[in-house]
């Protein structure tokens, strides 16, 4: 009996493995030698970030509690005496005092005077803004300055200065010189 090819599948001929050429290695730059942690010949590292003070954080939080958003904390000017200030976009000013935990808002009214309000919550802020905007009262006092002088002290100083600068008559000058001559004692020559 003759063999007939069977219906079996025959596997394809095996390929012979060919050697591939080696891939070229990626060229890396040599690393610089690391300095020892104790080697300070290059100088000490410097800090490049700007830090905020605790007072700036407290002031920002107080403003947020009062309903005023102040996104950049570093915009608060820390006076290093327990107080900090900030000018808002509308030209008004916020003042925070750490000792009393007080946030004050200063704004100009339509009549040109500076109004100051203590802000504790959003209701205080809304009421202060409405009060300042609706002010129609004439103000006789000048806007307060940062020096803290009061109007009465300023008026006394001004009236004293005005009295000191009034012109003197010839009789007043003569009387003043005579009084001075009567009370002055001759002074000795200074020894060298």
């Amino acid at each position: 009996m003759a063999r007939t090819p069977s219906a079996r599948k025959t596997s394809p001929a095996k390929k012979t493995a060919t050697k591939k050429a080696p891939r070229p290695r990626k060229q890396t730059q040599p690393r610089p030698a690391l300095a020892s942690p104790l080697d300070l010949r290059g100088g000490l590292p410097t800090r490049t970030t700007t830090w905020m003070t605790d007072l700036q954080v407290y002031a920002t939080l107080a403003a947020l509690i009062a309903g005023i958003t102040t996104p950049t904390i570093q915009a608060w000017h820390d006076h290093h005496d327990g107080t900090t200030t900030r000018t808002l976009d509308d030209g008004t000013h916020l003042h925070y005092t750490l000792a009393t935990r007080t946030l004050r808002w200063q704004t100009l009214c339509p009549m040109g005077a500076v109004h100051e309000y203590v802000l504790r919550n959003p209701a205080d802020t809304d009421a202060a803004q409405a009060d300042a905007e609706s002010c129609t009262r004439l103000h006789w006092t000048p806007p307060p300055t940062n020096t803290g002088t009061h109007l009465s002290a300023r008026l006394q100083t001004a009236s004293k200065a005005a009295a000191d600068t009034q012109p003197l008559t010839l009789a007043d000058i003569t009387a003043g010189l005579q009084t001075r001559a009567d009370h002055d004692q001759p002074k000795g020559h200074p020894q060298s």
Side-chain angles (χ1 to χ4, degrees):
M1 189 168 173
R3 275 192 164 186
T4 60
S6 68
R8 284 187 306 180
K9 288 189 173 180
T10 58
S11 62
K14 289 186 176 181
K15 295 183 180 180
T16 58
T18 58
K19 285 191 173 183
K20 293 183 179 179
R23 289 184 177 171
R25 288 191 171 189
K26 190 177 188 181
Q27 295 292 329
T28 58
Q29 298 294 327
R31 290 186 178 177
L34 296 175
S36 163
L38 299 177
D39 184 11
L40 299 178
R41 286 178 282 179
L44 293 173
T46 57
R47 188 180 300 169
T48 57
T49 57
T50 304
W51 295 97
M52 60 191 152
T53 64
D54 289 342
L55 187 58
Q56 289 172 324
V57 174
Y58 296 142
T60 301
L61 182 60
L64 195 59
I65 289 171
I68 301 171
T69 304
T70 56
T72 52
I73 294 175
Q74 287 87 6
W76 286 91
H77 178 69
D78 189 347
H79 299 286
H80 303 290
D81 62 353
T83 63
T84 182
T85 57
R86 178 190 173 104
T87 302
L88 298 176
D89 292 337
D90 61 357
T92 61
H93 300 281
L94 289 175
H95 300 276
Y96 181 75
T97 305
L98 182 63
T100 58
R101 307 274 198 253
T102 305
L103 179 68
R104 294 175 291 127
W105 178 59
Q106 287 184 341
T107 185
L108 283 175
C109 73
M111 301 304 287
V114 175
H115 289 254
E116 184 173 282
Y117 303 93
V118 174
L119 306 178
R120 294 176 296 273
N121 53 46
D124 287 348
T125 304
D126 293 340
Q129 189 170 10
D131 182 58
E133 289 174 354
S134 65
C135 179
T136 57
R137 183 175 47 131
L138 290 177
H139 299 279
W140 294 101
T141 59
T145 61
N146 291 336
T147 58
T149 57
H150 298 294
L151 178 62
S152 60
R154 293 179 74 184
L155 288 175
Q156 288 174 356
T157 305
S159 61
K160 183 176 184 271
D164 289 344
T165 58
Q166 295 300 317
L168 296 175
T169 63
L170 185 56
D172 290 338
I173 294 172
T174 306
L177 290 174
Q178 185 62 40
T179 305
R180 193 177 191 185
D182 291 343
H183 296 294
D184 279 351
Q185 298 295 323
K187 295 185 174 64
H189 192 275
Q191 301 296 323
S192 359

